[in-house]
Every structure is written in C-alpha cells, then in structure tokens.
Amino acid sequence: MVNGKKALLLLSGGIDSAVALYLLKARGYDVIALSINYPGRGERERESARRLAEMTNTRLIEVDLPFMREVVELWGSEDERPQHLRNAHPSTIPARNAIIYSVAAYFAEMLGINLVVAGHNADDVKHFPDTTREFRRLFSKALSIGTYIGRTRGFRVVAPLSRLSKTGVVKLGLKLGVPFEYTWSCHNNYDKPCGRCTGCIARKRAFEELGVEDPLERVIREGKDWWRIHYSKK
C-alpha cells in the first residue's frame, strides 16, 4: 500500500468481520487477517474466513487455540458452572478477547503493525463484557506500554462497527458490496444454517428489517451454495 496504513483484522468468517474487512479495504488499509481456531468453531466458519481472505487478496494467518472452550462445553449445565457464569451467553469463552487480543498483539508486533481491528457491533455489548469500548481502551493502553511497537508508535485495538446494530452492519456491508453468501453466522456446522441459534436469529432479523433477502439463503435455495459445490468436488 502506498499510504502505508496497515491493520491486523480478526476475521471469523461471520457478517461483522467480513464487513470490517471490506471497510478497511475501502479506506485504503493494507490488511492482514488473523483467524483463531478453537474447538467450538465449526469448519464452515473457518472456510468462510479463508474464502473471504482469498476473494480480497488478503493474507490470512490461522492460529489454533485448542484450550479455548465455550461455557456450554466446559460445564454440562448452568447449575454446574461457577456462580458468576450462570447467566453468561452460551457462546461465552472465559477471557476470550483478552486472549485473542494478546495473540493478535504478538503477530502485530512481529509484522510491524500497531492497529488491531475487531468486528464487534453494538449488540455484542449486551452479552459480552469484553467487547466494550472501555475494555478496548484499557487493553490498548496496556499494549502501548507493554510492547516495543506500542512504546514507539502507540498501540490501538479498535472496533469500527461498535456503534452499529447488526442491521446497521448489514446495511453498511450492502453498500460496500460484501458477498454475504460467503459468510457464516450459524453456531452449528451443518450444510445450511439451523435457523434456531442466536447467530441465525440475529442474522435473519437484520436482513428482514432491511427488507432484503439474505444472499446465503438464496444460493442455498437455488442449490448454488459454494460450500456444497466446493466439497462435492473433493
């Protein structure tokens, strides 16, 4: 990139991180994507991240963190969980973003990048305390003190979509030309979305509020889903 702007993006393969990717590209950033693989993350979502990176000519770094597990995997029932996690969102991973931001900081400093970008939206704050602006601000301060690149250039962890609802994120993505048919929101790893998990429900509501058909639903209905086509050739 001529302008020298670089960013390390946390790319999950979902709607939010896909929109963040296209937003950064539109703003002229040279983007390197980081994809964190953990046991509860399905192969379909991983492949979506790979596909989005390939489509945008973005270097993708994948890191396996096998110890990271959601609370529904760590304990068999809510009664078995520690008291402070009894009402946690089912997909909560203890200290998730503290871990992920730290891993991102490792690669960022190694690559000479002092900007880490996450795809959190305004709805995330309702369920996950580690997606708040205050958490990012304090983490950025810690990394500015505790890394060499941070001490010379400062270090920022930002979420450019954090003031937008899921509907707002989809609306922005449509303007940016994000290929939503290559994104995956379902918490399950079926050939098509389950339609019942919180990821599916939030996605469906966003497109319905905009009065737009979800491109993923359309390609699945028409039998043109890239995932099925890709794996049927193997």
Side-chain angles (χ1 to χ4, degrees):
M1 280 289 172
V2 177
N3 59 25
K5 296 194 299 183
K6 295 182 178 180
L8 183 71
L9 170 68
L10 297 169
L11 184 64
S12 69
I15 282 178
D16 300 321
S17 64
V19 173
L21 172 60
Y22 275 73
L23 179 63
L24 289 171
K25 293 282 188 175
R27 291 179 176 177
Y29 279 87
D30 181 6
V31 182
I32 294 178
L34 179 65
S35 180
I36 304 294
N37 297 324
Y38 53 90
R41 187 180 181 216
E43 186 61 25
R44 171 103 193 206
E45 188 179 40
R46 302 182 193 199
E47 282 292 342
S48 288
R50 294 166 188 153
R51 186 76 174 205
L52 289 165
E54 180 183 10
M55 293 176 69
T56 56
N57 195 30
T58 300
R59 178 184 173 188
L60 179 67
I61 299 171
E62 294 194 50
V63 178
D64 294 328
L65 297 181
F67 66 90
M68 284 181 61
R69 294 182 181 275
E70 299 175 350
V71 292
V72 293
E73 298 174 295
L74 290 170
W75 295 280
S77 67
E78 288 188 14
D79 292 338
E80 295 177 1
R81 295 181 203 169
Q83 187 65 39
H84 62 279
L85 288 171
R86 292 278 175 88
N87 297 318
H89 190 278
S91 62
T92 295
I93 293 176
R96 171 180 177 145
N97 285 327
I99 297 168
I100 291 177
Y101 293 167
S102 297
V103 172
Y106 165 81
F107 285 99
E109 180 159 50
M110 183 175 65
L111 295 166
I113 300 172
N114 66 331
L115 178 65
V116 169
V117 181
H120 311 309
N121 64 55
D123 299 331
D124 292 334
V125 179
K126 302 173 186 176
H127 306 290
F128 307 106
D130 57 359
T131 62
T132 63
R133 182 180 181 183
E134 182 70 358
F135 183 77
R136 291 190 299 276
R137 184 184 71 81
L138 292 173
F139 216 93
S140 297
K141 184 176 181 180
L143 291 172
S144 293
I145 296 171
T147 61
Y148 284 97
I149 194 169
R151 293 172 66 180
T152 57
R153 293 167 51 190
F155 202 110
R156 291 189 300 146
V157 179
V158 303
L161 309 178
S162 61
R163 296 187 178 183
L164 299 177
S165 65
K166 179 69 78 173
T167 301
V169 172
V170 171
K171 184 177 181 180
L172 175 60
L174 292 171
K175 291 181 180 179
L176 293 169
V178 175
F180 286 119
E181 62 269 30
Y182 293 101
T183 63
W184 186 254
S185 303
C186 185
H187 294 167
N188 296 294
N189 198 38
Y190 308 138
D191 281 343
K192 60 181 181 180
C194 72
R196 298 182 301 274
C197 69
T198 55
C200 283
I201 292 172
R203 179 178 183 131
K204 183 177 180 62
R205 182 186 302 116
F207 280 98
E208 286 182 345
E209 289 180 352
L210 292 171
V212 178
E213 183 180 23
D214 184 344
L216 178 58
E217 290 187 2
R218 185 186 67 250
V219 297
I220 289 177
R221 185 180 65 251
E222 295 175 352
K224 299 177 181 178
D225 184 17
W226 66 272
W227 170 269
R228 294 185 183 185
I229 295 173
H230 175 68
Y231 280 92
S232 67
K233 292 180 179 178
K234 286 191 173 183

